[in-house]
Amino acid sequence: MMNQGYDRDMTTTPEAREFVSLLKSLRAVRQFADRPLPPEAIRDMHDVIRWSGSASNRQEFQVLWVEDRAKLRQLSELKGYARHLAGAAAGAVIVTWMQSDVLNAFDEGRIAERIMLAAHAYGIGSSIGMLSRESRGAAQEILGLSEDRTVRTTISLGYPAEGALRGGRRKPLTELVKRLQV
Amino acid sequence: MMNQGYDRDMTTTPEAREFVSLLKSLRAVRQFADRPLPPEAIRDMHDVIRWSGSASNRQEFQVLWVEDRAKLRQLSELKGYARHLAGAAAGAVIVTWMQSDVLNAFDEGRIAERIMLAAHAYGIGSSIGMLSRESRGAAQEILGLSEDRTVRTTISLGYPAEGALRGGRRKPLTELVKRLQV
């Protein structure tokens, strides 16, 4: 049970290919349909959060799960890039409290990715939001957090609105991955 | 093609559950078998890197793919927590160059997570390594990078050695995810 996934064959399996194709097809969704998230998808997202890796496995983070529309709107109006929270079916706010802001940010990136991928498995769209440092105090107040908590990363979640999916553009592979020549 | 994954049914599908179970079962692997990685797995990992999200989709990063044992050993000996690179079949070194170190770290966390999950789909184990700031200059020299490049995060990759898989421990869900009460 603990080691599941490591006992598969080393050659390409259909499951591996399907998994990789899901990993590749995640795109930011910023407009959401007015449609609730099914409880089993929410439960799975929470479970995935629990099993996410973190710096030295310390798990110095907490995810606040916000479904209240008024709170979502309040957060969306803060300075930063999280306006899409206003239309989301749910918002996940990642709270961290390690000394190093770089370590916090690294863990936030990891957790954000897992949440979005778990959502994606259910066809639920997502987008990362960032609250700017000036609005941290206001965010702490809205969320009932003490001053030593870092609130920066949010995830907007919801089924994609009609037309919300746009094709992604990416740099060519040769620019992004470089095999080191000896 | 672009939007694959978003057209699935909103109720639980066997594929969603399997995907979530893979997301939950990723564990750090620090001891590796002396066994090469299959080309199709490497190709898929590179493809996943290409399609990883990044701050404002700017893709201000590059992944250096290192298979040379001498280089891996050199990197593993640098100050930090990347000793397991020495025994890895391959090392992925994430290089970033945005002004904000927090933004760099966030993107590094996202990319690291994708690489490890793509590897996991093939039964390939992985572990994050961190080079400390003091060893950045030496890392730049080993990798032939200029001084404006941030080198911090490495991923060690390889099939798990016998006995390398240990069960993970995690805090209880109630501590990690909190539903915001209104």
Side-chain angles (χ1 to χ4, degrees):
Chain A
M1 160 59 185
M2 286 298 188
N3 300 341
Q4 69 189 106
Y6 287 107
D7 49 2
R8 43 184 65 212
D9 198 81
M10 67 175 280
T11 55
T12 312
T13 65
E15 291 77 20
R17 302 239 48 140
E18 191 178 350
F19 190 66
V20 164
S21 127
L22 262 167
L23 286 175
K24 282 166 56 180
S25 58
L26 180 64
R27 299 287 176 279
V29 172
R30 294 185 187 86
Q31 285 111 31
F32 303 102
D34 187 17
R35 188 173 150 195
L37 305 181
E40 64 271 24
I42 295 176
R43 191 202 49 219
D44 271 349
M45 285 189 266
H46 290 181
D47 249 12
V48 164
I49 291 166
R50 182 175 177 221
W51 286 101
S52 285
S54 58
S56 312
N57 198 21
R58 281 159 58 191
Q59 295 189 287
E60 308 250 8
F61 70 86
Q62 192 172 51
V63 174
L64 299 180
W65 192 261
V66 188
E67 294 184 355
D68 179 59
R69 198 147 289 279
K71 290 258 185 235
L72 287 171
R73 189 165 320 110
Q74 279 181 285
L75 291 169
S76 79
E77 284 162 0
L78 295 177
K79 233 181 152 161
Y81 304 89
R83 279 195 304 273
H84 37 71
L85 271 175
V93 181
I94 306 175
V95 182
T96 50
W97 53 83
M98 284 183 288
Q99 285 269 323
S100 155
D101 220 22
V102 160
L103 280 189
N104 283 332
F106 188 82
D107 273 5
E108 287 167 38
R110 296 184 68 184
I111 299 157
E113 209 64 12
R114 295 269 191 127
I115 295 175
M116 295 192 296
L117 288 167
H120 187 40
Y122 281 95
I124 296 165
S126 61
S127 189
I128 290 177
M130 287 274 180
L131 302 176
S132 55
R133 189 174 282 273
E134 309 103 274
S135 53
R136 196 163 295 172
Q140 286 161 341
E141 203 168 313
I142 294 170
L143 299 164
L145 293 167
S146 55
E147 276 180 26
D148 57 342
R149 288 334 198 206
T150 299
V151 194
R152 171 174 36 217
T153 304
T154 66
I155 317 282
S156 302
L157 293 154
Y159 286 101
E162 200 86 37
L165 291 168
R166 283 172 297 188
R169 283 167 304 104
R170 290 295 190 276
K171 291 184 183 175
L173 186 55
T174 47
E175 222 174 291
L176 290 168
V177 183
K178 197 179 145 199
R179 276 177 189 266
L180 201 77
Q181 304 304 326
V182 195
Chain B
M1 158 62 183
M2 286 299 188
N3 300 342
Q4 69 189 110
Y6 287 105
D7 49 2
R8 41 185 66 210
D9 198 79
M10 68 175 280
T11 55
T12 311
T13 63
E15 292 76 21
R17 304 238 45 138
E18 191 179 348
F19 190 66
V20 164
S21 128
L22 260 166
L23 285 174
K24 283 166 55 183
S25 59
L26 180 64
R27 299 286 177 279
V29 172
R30 293 184 188 86
Q31 284 111 31
F32 303 101
D34 185 16
R35 188 173 149 195
L37 306 181
E40 64 270 26
I42 295 176
R43 191 203 49 220
D44 272 349
M45 285 188 264
H46 291 182
D47 249 12
V48 164
I49 292 166
R50 181 172 178 223
W51 288 100
S52 284
S54 58
S56 310
N57 198 22
R58 281 159 57 190
Q59 296 191 289
E60 308 250 9
F61 70 86
Q62 192 173 49
V63 175
L64 299 181
W65 192 262
V66 189
E67 294 184 353
D68 179 60
R69 198 147 288 281
K71 290 260 185 233
L72 288 170
R73 189 165 320 109
Q74 279 180 289
L75 291 168
S76 78
E77 284 163 359
L78 295 176
K79 235 181 150 164
Y81 304 89
R83 278 195 304 274
H84 35 73
L85 272 176
V93 181
I94 306 176
V95 182
T96 50
W97 53 83
M98 284 184 287
Q99 285 269 322
S100 154
D101 221 23
V102 159
L103 280 189
N104 283 331
F106 188 82
D107 273 3
E108 289 167 37
R110 296 184 68 186
I111 299 157
E113 210 64 11
R114 295 270 191 124
I115 295 174
M116 296 192 295
L117 287 167
H120 186 41
Y122 282 95
I124 296 166
S126 62
S127 187
I128 290 177
M130 289 275 181
L131 302 176
S132 56
R133 188 174 282 273
E134 308 104 275
S135 52
R136 196 163 293 173
Q140 286 161 341
E141 202 168 314
I142 293 170
L143 298 164
L145 294 167
S146 55
E147 276 180 25
D148 57 340
R149 287 339 199 200
T150 299
V151 193
R152 173 175 34 218
T153 304
T154 65
I155 317 284
S156 302
L157 295 153
Y159 286 100
E162 199 87 35
L165 293 166
R166 284 172 298 187
R169 283 168 301 104
R170 290 294 189 276
K171 291 182 180 175
L173 186 56
T174 48
E175 222 173 289
L176 289 169
V177 183
K178 199 179 144 197
R179 276 177 190 267
L180 202 76
Q181 305 301 327
V182 195

